[in-house]
Amino acid sequence: MSLRTAQRASLVDQVIDQLKEQITSNSWQMHAKIPTETVLAEQLGVGRNTVREAVRALTHAGLLECRQGDGTYVRATSELSGAMLRRLRAAEQLEILEVRRALEVEAARLAATRRSDADIARIEAALAERERAWEIGEPNAFVEADLAFHVAVVQATHNLVLIDLYEDFSAALRASITAAGTSLNSTYIPHEAIARAIAAGDVSAAERAGHACMEHILIALTEVQELSS
């Protein structure tokens, strides 16, 4: 009996590993709907109950989200990001922005000392797309471009731990940027100074620009919250 239990648990673990690989390799994109239970069972050569247990485990870990009557969607790319997303859903927007400030100011400082020509090109391309989205009034595109800019800055640090942490934090950051944009209404916060300082290799200027950017958001958000209270 215990041998059969161990074999079944091992099979579920194998399915979990394979499904997780689809997520972490981006074969299943963030927010995408995954194949149905029946399709997965056929592809993996296992029973539907095994797939159901594996999906349930990944849902509990925060990587998947089951929507009643709709299907199952990719919610996060790692257990850390899933746990972080659950925690940040209960956090205040101001708390999330304070964490953003710590990460992004340090990222700007490090990027100024370590950026390559390719990094600078990615930062400038993201900045240009951010400007374009703002000018034509596309809020969703602006949020994605704004996040892409900050991701490009973090990648320019070449600190793998910071990059992984920021990627895990990105789902919550996307919600934070969206909420901040809604709260701040038409307020525009320029990012050119960050990009210029990083390109110039000016560590002090990059740190100041990153800090000024986040302080602008935090101050404006605090004012909005005070007015609404």
Side-chain angles (χ1 to χ4, degrees):
M1 181 65 177
S2 61
L3 180 59
R4 287 197 298 272
T5 302
Q7 288 175 333
R8 185 171 184 228
S10 176
L11 185 58
V12 172
D13 288 342
Q14 290 177 43
V15 173
I16 289 173
D17 289 342
Q18 291 192 63
L19 299 186
K20 191 184 297 183
E21 174 63 23
Q22 295 298 304
I23 297 170
T24 58
S25 67
N26 288 321
S27 294
W28 292 345
Q29 299 289 326
M30 277 286 291
H31 312 300
K33 186 176 182 178
I34 72 170
T36 66
E37 188 178 282
T38 301
V39 171
L40 288 174
E42 291 176 355
Q43 291 178 342
L44 294 165
V46 298
R48 291 179 59 184
N49 285 340
T50 300
V51 172
R52 188 176 300 122
E53 287 187 41
V55 169
R56 186 182 297 118
L58 292 175
T59 299
H60 181 73
L63 276 69
L64 297 176
E65 178 183 9
C66 293
R67 301 177 188 175
Q68 191 65 34
D70 186 9
T72 303
Y73 291 78
V74 177
R75 182 186 180 193
T77 56
S78 72
E79 288 89 347
L80 176 59
S81 60
M84 192 175 294
L85 186 56
R86 287 197 302 273
R87 176 63 187 87
L88 293 176
R89 279 186 170 180
E92 296 292 333
Q93 188 181 340
L94 182 59
E95 293 177 323
I96 295 173
L97 288 173
E98 287 172 346
V99 175
R100 277 192 66 191
R101 175 175 58 184
L103 292 175
E104 292 180 7
V105 171
E106 178 64 9
R109 187 184 73 81
L110 290 175
T113 67
R114 302 174 180 176
R115 80 286 182 271
S116 64
D117 290 343
D119 292 324
I120 294 172
R122 278 192 294 270
I123 291 171
E124 291 178 346
L127 179 62
E129 180 59 25
R130 184 180 185 271
E131 299 295 305
R132 187 198 69 81
W134 178 267
E135 289 174 1
I136 63 178
E138 291 186 359
N140 292 335
F142 178 78
V143 168
E144 293 301 322
D146 187 81
L147 183 56
F149 173 85
H150 293 292
V151 168
V153 171
V154 171
Q155 289 175 337
T157 69
H158 297 277
N159 181 316
L160 298 182
V161 175
L162 180 56
I163 292 170
D164 286 345
L165 179 61
Y166 199 83
E167 287 180 354
D168 286 332
F169 197 50
S170 63
L173 285 183
R174 183 176 283 102
S176 171
I177 294 169
T178 302
T182 301
S183 300
L184 305 181
N185 202 359
S186 60
T187 302
Y188 177 73
I189 301 172
H191 286 17
E192 289 90 343
I194 300 173
R196 284 200 306 270
I198 291 173
D202 191 329
V203 177
S204 296
E207 187 173 6
R208 287 196 304 270
H211 190 272
C213 172
M214 293 309 304
E215 282 300 303
H216 192 146
I217 296 174
L218 286 164
I219 291 170
L221 177 62
T222 301
E223 291 174 351
V224 168
Q225 291 179 336
E226 289 176 350
L227 289 174
S228 61
S229 61

